[in-house]
């Protein structure tokens, strides 16, 4: 059984690596084409809508954009879609590997909602699809002709979802799901709207028909939304590594402010690429928003030591708390780990428990049994530089306890 834990952790690592690689490819191509489109020189003669000269890697590139098409449709037409699809599919796989399989640890917070594992997973999966349906209906309504109003409603939808996730899931899962919710909208835009519209345009051009300009207009609206949503999604996907982002009751407000920061940052670069100026005020607003986020992160968000100690153990925690060797494991963790992994750390200059992981009560230690096994048993990642002198025999006891419980 212990081999399964190690293999599963490496599987999560492999899927995460794939997700990062595909996300870099998608974000890179998206940002490049947004910058290219905004910076095109449109003061030119001929059928092209604009052109741009660029230099990179020792060569010069002459790029032209056509709204209709060149006289002859090229045989080799590159479609930018797989980066988006692969990013979403790998992200969905990572969500399942980490948050669905590890629902008792990472997804469900009994203090917020006493859910069965299947209920938490159902809410997790269904919320992603529901979000896309609501967003798509808004875009296809008359509001689609009012981009600013539509963007405001999208922001309100994201704030509502941020609050809702925070009422049900752990803080870590709430922010991660908000990122997945947003990423689902972005990829669905590509799959259901942008690509089909482009196929219609290409088919019309090949048949000698004049394409309806509405298809390009609709695709451009969705692409613009994706442009402004990208940076907040990156923040939310990284947030699970930073308890200051998710370990507070105001995490949902922090997420909402992050979306505003995404707008201000992208507005600056979009304006710069379009050569309409450099609105430096956006950086001042971004800094102020970040300061507000930092302040909100210091507000209480976790249960107190007394509350954690009084809380009844979940079935998952009970399994490890009753396993052979728990008393030894408990004493080792309390003596070697809890000075940092505490609700009020006593280690010098440490204000917050690393990763938001608390190891003070029986339920705490049982809850994080797998992490203790991997971090301080199988590997020597914890304590850092073995600063608390965790002896080999103690690591062996931690391993034996986890194996007994699993």
């Amino acid at each position: 059984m212990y081999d399964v834990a190690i293999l599963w952790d490496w599987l999560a690592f492999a899927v995460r690596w794939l997700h990062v690689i595909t996300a870099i490819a998608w974000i890179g191509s998206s940002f490049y084409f947004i910058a290219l489109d905004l910076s095109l020189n449109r003061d030119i003669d001929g059928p092209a809508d604009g052109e741009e000269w660029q230099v990179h890697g020792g060569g010069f590139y002459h790029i032209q954009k056509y709204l209709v098409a060149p006289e002859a449709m090229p045989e080799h037409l590159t479609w930018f879609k797989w980066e988006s699809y692969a990013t979403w599919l790998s992200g969905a796989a990572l969500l399942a590997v980490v948050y669905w399989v590890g629902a008792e640890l990472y997804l469900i917070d009994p203090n917020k909602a006493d859910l069965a594992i299947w209920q938490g997973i159902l809410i997790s999966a269904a919320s992603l699809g529901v979000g896309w349906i609501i967003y798509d209906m808004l875009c296809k309504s008359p509001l689609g002709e009012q981009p600013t109003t539509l963007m405001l409603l999208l922001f309100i939808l994201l704030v509502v979802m941020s609050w809702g996730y925070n009422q049900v899931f752990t803080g870590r899962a709430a922010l991660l799901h908000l990122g997945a919710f947003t990423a689902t909208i972005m990829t669905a835009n590509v799959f259901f709207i942008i690509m089909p519209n482009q196929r219609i345009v290409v088919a019309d051009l090949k048949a000698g028909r004049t394409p309806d300009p509405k298809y390009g207009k609709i695709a451009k609206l969705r692409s613009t939304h994706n442009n402004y949503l990208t940076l907040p999604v990156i923040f939310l996907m990284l947030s699970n590594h930073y308890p200051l982002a998710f370990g507070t009751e105001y995490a949902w407000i922090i997420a909402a402010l992050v979306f505003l920061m995404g707008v201000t940052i992208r507005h600056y670069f979009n304006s710069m690429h379009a050569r309409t100026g450099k609105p430096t005020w956006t950086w001042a607003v971004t800094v102020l928003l970040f300061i507000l986020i930092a302040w909100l992160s210091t507000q209480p968000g976790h249960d107190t030591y007394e509350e954690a100690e009084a809380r009844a153990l979940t079935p998952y925690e009970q399994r490890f708390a009753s396993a052979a060797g728990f008393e030894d494991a408990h004493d080792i963790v309390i003596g070697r780990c809890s000075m940092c992994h505490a609700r009020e750390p006593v280690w010098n200059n440490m204000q917050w428990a690393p990763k938001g992981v608390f190891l003070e009560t029986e339920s705490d230690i049982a809850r994080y049994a797998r992490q203790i096994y991997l971090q301080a048993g199988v590997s020597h990642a914890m304590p850092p530089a073995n600063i608390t002198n965790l002896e080999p025999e103690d690591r062996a006891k931690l391993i034996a306890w986890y194996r007994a419980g699993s």
Side-chain angles (χ1 to χ4, degrees):
M1 180 61 70
Y2 61 91
D3 288 334
V4 173
I6 295 172
L7 291 173
W8 196 261
D9 214 51
W10 274 110
L11 173 64
F13 192 172
V15 176
R16 190 183 302 274
W17 191 20
L18 174 63
H19 185 52
V20 170
I21 291 170
T22 54
I24 289 172
W26 182 19
I27 294 168
S29 62
S30 174
F31 277 11
Y32 172 73
F33 279 106
I34 287 290
L36 175 63
D37 189 64
L38 291 172
S39 62
L40 287 173
N41 174 21
R42 290 181 165 83
D43 188 21
I44 59 174
D45 297 325
D49 178 58
E51 67 175 8
E52 177 75 350
W53 282 90
Q54 298 182 353
V55 59
H56 180 74
F60 293 88
Y61 297 81
H62 183 204
I63 304 163
Q64 292 182 313
K65 175 185 177 182
Y66 293 84
L67 288 179
V68 287
E71 293 182 0
M73 181 64 66
E75 290 295 328
H76 302 288
L77 185 62
T78 300
W79 296 75
F80 289 87
K81 55 182 180 178
W82 293 112
E83 299 92 336
S84 173
Y85 302 162
T87 299
W88 190 88
L89 289 171
S90 59
L94 188 60
L95 179 69
V97 168
V98 176
Y99 288 90
W100 292 0
V101 175
E104 291 174 302
L105 180 59
Y106 294 124
L107 182 65
I108 298 171
D109 185 345
N111 296 313
K112 294 181 178 179
D114 189 14
L115 300 173
I117 292 177
W118 69 267
Q119 292 173 320
I121 294 174
L122 181 62
I123 293 172
S124 168
S127 65
L128 304 183
V130 169
W132 158 251
I133 293 172
I134 296 173
Y135 163 78
D136 189 50
M137 290 175 61
L138 288 173
C139 289
K140 290 178 178 177
S141 74
L143 291 170
E145 300 297 324
Q146 304 175 47
T148 303
T149 302
L150 183 59
M151 200 72 165
L152 178 60
L153 288 175
L154 174 57
F155 175 69
I156 293 174
L157 173 62
L158 292 169
V159 173
V160 170
M161 289 304 301
S162 180
W163 178 84
Y165 279 134
N166 203 52
Q167 302 307 304
V168 178
F169 296 145
T170 65
R172 168 177 170 164
L175 263 61
L176 190 285
H177 274 75
L178 185 62
F181 175 89
T182 309
T184 299
I185 288 176
M186 295 169 65
T187 295
N189 274 338
V190 176
F191 185 80
F192 292 112
I193 304 298
I194 297 175
M195 292 308 302
N197 285 11
Q198 288 180 339
R199 290 191 186 98
I200 292 172
V201 171
V202 169
D204 284 342
L205 292 170
K206 286 184 175 180
R209 298 186 297 266
T210 301
D212 190 329
K214 73 174 184 180
Y215 295 111
K217 182 179 179 181
I218 293 171
K220 184 65 177 293
L221 175 67
R222 303 298 183 102
S223 180
T224 299
H225 289 168
N226 284 6
N227 176 37
Y228 281 101
L229 292 174
T230 300
L231 293 181
V233 168
I234 295 174
F235 180 98
L236 294 169
M237 293 306 180
L238 293 174
S239 67
N240 64 92
H241 298 287
Y242 297 93
L244 284 178
F246 66 75
T248 167
E249 62 180 301
Y250 300 114
W252 68 277
I253 300 178
I254 289 176
L257 296 177
V258 166
F259 279 100
L260 294 180
M261 285 202 301
V263 171
T264 56
I265 294 171
R266 289 309 300 161
H267 179 67
Y268 174 84
F269 284 103
N270 289 343
S271 299
M272 183 178 68
H273 293 315
R275 301 187 181 94
T276 58
K278 295 182 178 180
T280 52
W281 61 267
T282 58
W283 290 104
V285 172
T286 302
V287 170
L288 290 175
L289 288 171
F290 197 83
I291 291 174
L292 179 56
I293 287 174
W295 176 76
L296 285 171
S297 73
T298 64
Q299 305 309 303
H302 54 72
D303 53 3
T304 64
Y305 173 83
E306 290 74 20
E307 290 171 335
E309 197 171 38
R311 179 173 61 83
L313 274 64
T314 66
Y316 177 85
E317 295 166 350
Q318 183 62 46
R319 177 153 57 93
F320 286 100
S322 60
F326 176 71
E327 289 186 5
D328 286 341
H330 176 274
D331 292 343
I332 292 168
V333 172
I334 292 297
R336 304 298 183 186
C337 311
S338 65
M339 63 283 294
C340 295
H341 289 281
R343 288 156 181 82
E344 296 182 8
V346 296
W347 195 265
N348 291 339
N349 301 317
M350 181 173 287
Q351 301 297 319
W352 315 100
K355 300 287 187 181
V357 173
F358 304 125
L359 299 174
E360 296 181 287
T361 68
E362 290 189 359
S363 63
D364 289 340
I365 295 169
R367 181 177 180 84
Y368 288 102
R370 183 167 177 269
Q371 283 60 41
I372 294 170
Y373 165 69
L374 292 172
Q375 300 285 338
V378 175
S379 77
H380 291 192
M382 289 290 158
N386 200 22
I387 198 167
T388 59
N389 297 314
L390 187 60
E391 300 294 340
E393 54 267 29
D394 290 334
R395 296 185 190 275
K397 290 178 181 178
L398 294 177
I399 292 174
W401 161 61
Y402 176 81
R403 292 178 182 176
S406 60

